[in-house]
Amino acid sequence: MNRIYVGRRQGGGSRVDVFARDGISALSDADGGAWGTAGPGTVTLAHALLADVFGTGASDGLAVTFAGDVLAELPRDGFALSEEDVRRWLQPVPARRLTGAEVIDHLGAVAVADEDDEARLLGRIIQRCWDERTLAQ
């Protein structure tokens, strides 16, 4: 059985439990972790989840990307995320061409982004949607 990570709000804080074959326990190093929003708490939770799934610490870059791609998108009330969900996120995304509408949406997001977000948004466009052949055309 894969582990299941369940986050819930309780009182004034939050808690993430790990449901595994051998029982239920709190996720280690997740104190101050957050989801459903972007920020340092989301990155803290990303580090804890990735370390638990892969058995080793994740780089800051990987944790920040996981936090933005997955954790910030989770419902604020609570979530359930399987170990397989986390592993699947790390799998390469097949390259594909953007449709005209997607290009307009992405470039529109870059146009209104602040300076710090521009590079991140452009990097995501290139990383997820274009392969080397597309960029050369």
Side-chain angles (χ1 to χ4, degrees):
M1 173 179 128
N2 283 334
R3 291 180 296 249
I4 306 291
Y5 301 92
V6 176
R8 61 180 181 220
R9 304 276 178 207
Q10 61 183 122
S14 61
R15 178 182 172 99
V16 178
D17 289 317
V18 182
F19 290 74
R21 224 175 273 173
D22 57 351
I24 303 169
S25 61
L27 180 62
S28 299
D29 300 324
D31 290 342
W35 62 86
T37 185
T42 312
V43 175
T44 297
L45 180 56
H47 273 290
L49 272 167
L50 293 169
D52 194 72
V53 169
F54 296 107
T56 186
S59 70
D60 288 337
L62 184 64
V64 167
T65 303
F66 180 73
D69 285 356
V70 178
L71 300 180
E73 301 300 320
L74 294 172
R76 288 184 56 81
D77 297 352
F79 71 89
L81 192 65
S82 72
E83 176 182 351
E84 184 59 33
D85 292 333
V86 177
R87 290 181 183 280
R88 191 175 20 253
W89 171 82
L90 195 57
Q91 297 302 311
V93 176
R96 67 173 179 81
R97 286 184 182 260
L98 290 172
T99 67
E102 288 173 321
V103 170
I104 291 168
D105 285 346
H106 286 302
L107 294 178
V110 171
V112 298
D114 67 33
E115 208 172 277
D116 292 335
D117 287 336
E118 281 182 24
R120 182 181 54 80
L121 288 167
L122 286 171
R124 278 192 180 168
I125 293 169
I126 292 168
Q127 182 181 39
R128 291 184 177 269
C129 301
W130 292 339
D131 61 17
E132 290 178 14
R133 288 173 301 164
T134 304
L135 290 172
Q137 293 178 355

